[in-house]
Amino acid sequence: MARWTYAFSNGSYNDWHRKYDGIAMIDIDSIECCPKCYEPLAVLETCYDKGQIYKATTLANIVGKRLNIPVFLVFYKKLTHDTLTFRIKRITGSQTDFEVMNENQWLSILLDLQENHRKVCNDQD
């Protein structure tokens, strides 16, 4: 069964949940949101980059489509002890191929999500 795919424990609740047939659970790694009103802005499925080209994103896609927000697959790895590098793929809407990005490039996309939301945010100062 898929619920036993991972040999390691992912916490007490996950271990408890896996004991029962007829129920299913999938985690979503991250939801980018507005820091003022907490409106969801994007779904992120993240994974440490080991050179892979695939990670399951079925639930992230469903959630993103229902919320009408973009979904990104984010592979990341350490470049130095305090610097990350990314391979980013948008997987809903205007799908893209993987693009290698540095921290500033990925941050720019996340800041654009915030800036676009500010135009309609319900918690304006």
Side-chain angles (χ1 to χ4, degrees), residues 11-53:
S12 299
Y13 185 81
N14 282 354
D15 293 345
W16 172 84
H17 197 277
R18 289 179 182 188
K19 296 189 308 185
Y20 301 99
D21 290 328
I23 59 175
M25 179 177 79
I26 301 171
D27 74 314
I28 292 180
D29 294 325
S30 182
I31 304 283
E32 286 291 321
C33 66
C34 173
K36 293 183 178 188
C37 73
Y38 299 105
E39 182 74 21
L41 305 179
V43 178
L44 307 181
E45 197 59 44
T46 63
C47 189
Y48 191 79
D49 191 347
K50 299 177 185 174
Q52 69 275 44
I53 59 171

Side-chain angles (χ1 to χ4, degrees), residues 29-33 41-47 70-77 83-91 96-114:
D29 294 325
S30 182
I31 304 283
E32 286 291 321
C33 66
L41 305 179
V43 178
L44 307 181
E45 197 59 44
T46 63
C47 189
V71 178
F72 295 93
L73 178 54
V74 179
F75 290 138
Y76 64 91
K77 67 179 173 183
T83 305
L84 297 177
T85 185
F86 305 94
R87 283 190 303 131
I88 309 290
K89 181 177 185 175
R90 185 173 175 152
I91 55 177
T96 63
D97 291 327
F98 279 106
E99 185 176 344
V100 175
M101 295 184 190
N102 63 34
E103 290 181 351
N104 288 333
Q105 290 168 314
W106 179 228
L107 177 61
S108 177
I109 291 170
L110 298 177
L111 289 172
D112 282 348
L113 289 170
Q114 296 291 334

